[in-house]
Amino acid sequence: MDSLTQIALGSAVGVAVMGRRTAVWKAALWGAIGGTLPDLDAFIDHGDAILNMTRHRAESHALFVLTLIAPALAWIASRVHGEAALFKRWWLALWLVLITHPLLDTMTVYGTQLLQPFSDHPFGVGSMFIIDPAYTVPLIVGVVAALRMQPPRGLRWNAAGLVLSTLYLAWSVGAQQQATQVARASLQAQGIAAEGLLVTPAPFNTVLWRLVAITPTQYLEGHHSLLDEDGAIQWTVHERGADLIAQHRDDPYLARMARFTHGFYSAASVDGRLYVTDLRMGQEPSYTFRFDLGTEAARANGGHRPTQTGFRPDMATALPWLWRRMWGERLPSPLVPDGTPRLKATAPG
């Protein structure tokens, strides 16, 4: 999730656990610090763009590592404020602040390596977009109320913010399951045998869902709003670059992307250069994580390190479409080029 959300969550958790034992501003401050710490790994350069992507949310987001860090951070906080007697409470508060950060990140599709150093498996529920005001605003309101109001009223506002945001997470999982059922029924009705199905929210909400189905040679993209009158989905069809994937499957960077994306990736060759794209984040044809792996000669002699070439969509076009499509208006994606194969939208059953 975005930095503001993690700061708000950390502060809210810190205030909730410390309660009246210390000043609210102290708990909020150290909660914000703890909520920010795991994401400092973004400043580490691992040598190339693909490693920087796949090594983000690794050890710094591991439950085991953060559990080891918690007592040291609690010792600093308790000594700075002359509250050594509250060390154990600070320990509990900051441990919860630290581990709720990666647990929240796991609700997005990116991939969070919770079990490092024992496993590098990237966990991702994918029911939350990285920025969602409906989740963040209750946390901010609760923390601000706790800072401005006298206990216990302010603390109750903070607790209410945590409850509402947590209920929203639960809602997102339920909404994702509903969209998944509709997508599977649509694929079955159209006779599409998909190897994998990805269902993630469109930006800033959990009403409109982006759907990606993978076949051995193609990927299909569609959208479903919970406000649609029926389950009809129009799928656009795109080539995955199956021949290139088969040809270069032993390339270490391509293999790393395949594993990190759980198979939701594509390959393309442009002017003799090999490109690999993470299909999970973005919308056709705009993807954040698209990488240039270089020419065959450069890869053979190790003279090229992957570079990121992804780009974002035109917000002036995408946002109005997003708003209208979210409310159930049937609109083709404005980003997909004309002439792209489309499967007729049909309602299951």
Side-chain angles (χ1 to χ4, degrees):
M1 299 290 286
D2 64 286
S3 297
L4 177 60
T5 298
Q6 292 291 8
I7 288 172
L9 176 62
S11 294
V13 171
V15 169
V17 178
M18 293 306 295
R20 299 190 190 186
R21 296 170 180 82
T22 190
V24 171
W25 71 266
K26 297 177 185 178
L29 172 62
W30 284 96
I33 292 172
T36 300
L37 278 178
D39 278 342
L40 295 182
D41 71 331
F43 295 101
I44 300 174
D45 184 1
H46 295 281
D48 65 65
I50 287 183
L51 285 176
N52 287 342
M53 175 195 174
T54 58
R55 294 298 300 157
H56 178 47
R57 297 193 187 176
E59 287 85 0
S60 70
H61 286 60
L63 300 180
F64 176 74
V65 174
L66 293 175
T67 297
L68 296 180
I69 293 174
L73 193 61
W75 186 88
I76 294 172
S78 62
R79 266 44 179 195
V80 164
H81 299 297
E83 298 176 348
L86 292 177
F87 168 72
K88 290 184 178 180
R89 195 69 183 187
W90 275 110
W91 185 351
L92 175 62
L94 291 173
W95 177 71
L96 288 172
V97 166
L98 288 171
I99 67 166
T100 51
H101 178 123
L103 292 177
L104 178 59
D105 277 347
T106 303
M107 301 301 293
T108 70
V109 75
Y110 186 97
T112 306
Q113 298 172 47
L114 296 175
L115 301 182
Q116 285 279 7
F118 310 108
S119 169
D120 63 356
H121 179 80
F123 293 90
V125 175
S127 67
M128 290 284 292
F129 188 68
I130 58 171
I131 301 173
D132 193 328
Y135 177 81
T136 307
V137 169
L139 294 172
I140 294 176
V141 171
V143 171
V144 171
L147 290 168
R148 295 179 64 87
M149 297 177 182
Q150 293 295 321
R153 187 183 178 196
L155 296 179
R156 287 200 293 266
W157 273 79
N158 182 70
L162 279 169
V163 169
L164 287 174
S165 62
T166 303
L167 289 175
Y168 185 73
L169 290 180
W171 149 262
S172 75
V173 174
Q176 182 187 43
Q177 293 304 308
Q178 171 63 24
T180 299
Q181 291 178 9
V182 172
R184 285 176 175 165
S186 174
L187 291 170
Q188 183 177 11
Q190 300 187 52
I192 301 170
E195 292 183 338
L197 175 64
L198 181 72
V199 179
T200 59
F204 318 125
N205 76 105
T206 53
V207 175
L208 178 62
W209 294 81
R210 175 176 176 260
L211 320 169
V212 180
I214 292 288
T215 74
T217 59
Q218 298 173 323
Y219 60 96
L220 298 83
E221 182 183 60
H223 287 85
H224 172 69
S225 171
L226 300 183
L227 301 179
D228 287 346
E229 294 182 356
D230 54 41
I233 296 174
Q234 185 176 64
W235 300 91
T236 58
V237 185
H238 311 273
E239 295 300 318
R240 286 190 67 195
D243 292 344
L244 289 170
I245 291 173
Q247 180 183 349
H248 300 287
R249 65 172 65 254
D250 293 331
D251 182 277
Y253 290 113
L254 198 68
R256 177 177 284 271
M257 284 294 292
R259 184 171 63 256
F260 192 77
T261 64
H262 304 289
F264 289 91
Y265 72 104
S266 67
S269 179
V270 182
D271 297 328
R273 309 182 73 87
L274 180 63
Y275 291 85
V276 60
T277 300
D278 183 341
L279 300 175
R280 301 172 304 158
M281 289 166 279
Q283 181 174 327
E284 191 67 36
S286 303
Y287 292 100
T288 304
F289 296 106
R290 183 172 187 257
F291 302 96
D292 176 2
L293 303 188
T295 64
E296 186 174 354
R299 294 195 306 276
N301 62 28
H304 178 80
R305 291 182 177 178
T307 56
Q308 188 170 344
T309 62
F311 63 96
R312 300 181 186 278
D314 176 17
M315 290 295 103
T317 300
L319 288 180
W321 176 89
L322 173 70
W323 178 255
R324 294 170 62 189
R325 184 65 188 87
M326 182 180 71
W327 289 101
E329 187 174 348
R330 295 290 184 176
L331 297 168
S333 171
L335 305 178
V336 176
D338 291 338
T340 299
R342 289 178 166 87
L343 298 181
K344 182 179 178 181
T346 57

